Amino acid sequence: MIYLDNAATSFPKPRRVCEEQMRCMQYYCGNPGRGSHALSMAAAEKIYECREEAASFFGSSHPENVIFTLNTTMSLNLAIKGLLHHGDHVLISDMEHNAVWRPIELLSQRGIITYDVFSTYDPTRQRSAAEICGSILEKVRANTRMLICAHASNICSAALPLAEIGALCRKKGILFVVDAAQSAGHLPIDVEGMQIDALCVPGHKGLLGPQGTGMLLLADGLRAQTLIEGGSGYHSLDAAMPQDSPERYEAGTLPTPAIAGLLEGIREVRRRSIGAIFKHEQALNSRLTSRLAAMDGITIYAPHHVGSVLLFNLEGIPSERVAEELNARGFCVRAGFHCAALAHKTLGTPPTGAIRLSPSLSNTVEHVDAFAEAVAQIQICGGTF
Ligand code: PMP
């Protein structure tokens, strides 16, 4: 199979990521932070090493503010539910994933918050940072407490100017929460330079780590309510969770082998360099865009944004049907709505959704050429398979 679904999760994982997980389970997998014996300490040290690597990778000088979670969704839920209060107003972008839209909608339905959606997307051209900030300002209210946006969309290659949005939020006293599910490991992120208050990151996508890993990087001095409570390995006689980060937010045993693997994933991204990774993905997508654009009856969405993700449809064939045919021909892609109702509405895809392709460094020009051939064959069959 040729895997072109890296926006869902990256595959295959680098050899070092796999080997370190195995090594951890064989040689140093005591319960981290639970006890002072050698294997518990070794596990805790490995986890701290990963915190330090992640903090430095994302421009934070506070490794203790790197909180391990299961995935981006959990990081977003912790930031949203942990930082918002009754009566707050929230701004979210028109490109959000359900990992943002659903918890925000739920809090709104419960009467806890109100929210508005700001516009970032233009179907004909890339909007400037000033225009996007202008559309945010139109929606800011006196009680706006948080702005949440996806750095990069999960259904097309549109990306937002974080530094400018961060500066605007700081000026207005608004908490800036960034969903980096599609940008971590693809685009540079500097939490302190970009004035990000909460960065929500998957370990299992662009950072090349195992599934079951995610992180929340909180700005220094920001304290959130906890999402879960339980054992933290210290202050065991207290009824309340500790005040200190990260223990406050990490109740229960952490997945040490997965975090050890994630550490190797981040190191691999550093070795390959973000710039080289993104350039490669861009080159593959731009080659495929020109090949698909030369065929009749193909709609490419947001073709003016060329990055890690490409979205398209074949006229008259539902996207899920095309994905089934591609799977039968040896290609893994995802069709439908990609858990992103708001973003699909913004792009104006039909009721049958669209087909998403997200190559990685493991893919080659031959892969995308073969993919274009397969699409042409499916089109000739016209849905009558
Ligand atoms: N936000 C965006 C923009 C995403 O693309 C995804 C994954 N599709 C998520 C959030 C959720 O990520 P995770 O699966 O790591 O929870």
Side-chain angles (χ1 to χ4, degrees), residues 7-9 70-76 95-100 150-155 179-182 201-205 213-214 334 338-340 356:
T9 199
L70 288 175
N71 45 43
T72 328
T73 303
M74 190 174 163
S75 305
L76 282 161
M95 283 297 206
E96 291 317 297
H97 188 271
N98 289 352
V100 168
H151 185 190
S153 163
N154 69 316
I155 63 163
D179 172 355
Q182 297 300 336
V201 180
H204 65 101
K205 300 188 197 241
T213 56
R334 183 167 170 203
H338 316 95
C339 304
R356 178 183 75 182

Side-chain angles (χ1 to χ4, degrees), residues 53-118:
E53 186 72 29
S56 120
F57 187 81
F58 291 114
S60 161
S61 38
H62 293 277
E64 74 278 11
N65 293 344
V66 174
I67 298 152
F68 288 112
T69 61
L70 288 175
N71 45 43
T72 328
T73 303
M74 190 174 163
S75 305
L76 282 161
N77 271 268
L78 176 48
I80 291 169
K81 292 169 184 164
L83 292 170
L84 286 174
H85 302 305
H86 212 280
D88 286 342
H89 174 249
V90 179
L91 290 175
I92 67 173
S93 91
D94 55 358
M95 283 297 206
E96 291 317 297
H97 188 271
N98 289 352
V100 168
W101 185 50
R102 284 182 173 170
I104 286 296
E105 183 60 35
L106 184 79
L107 293 185
S108 148
Q109 277 170 21
R110 287 182 178 162
I112 297 169
I113 61 156
T114 51
Y115 77 100
D116 279 300
V117 178
F118 63 92

Side-chain angles (χ1 to χ4, degrees), residues 212-239:
T213 56
M215 291 175 285
L216 171 65
L217 278 79
L218 272 187
D220 204 39
L222 205 56
R223 174 154 322 121
Q225 296 300 318
T226 52
L227 202 57
I228 51 165
E229 296 78 32
S232 59
Y234 80 122
H235 290 179
S236 292
L237 298 179
D238 286 356

Side-chain angles (χ1 to χ4, degrees), residues 20-34:
E20 192 56 34
Q21 288 189 83
M22 187 70 96
R23 218 173 69 76
C24 171
M25 288 187 287
Q26 286 177 317
Y27 300 113
Y28 62 88
C29 204
N31 195 323
R34 310 295 195 272

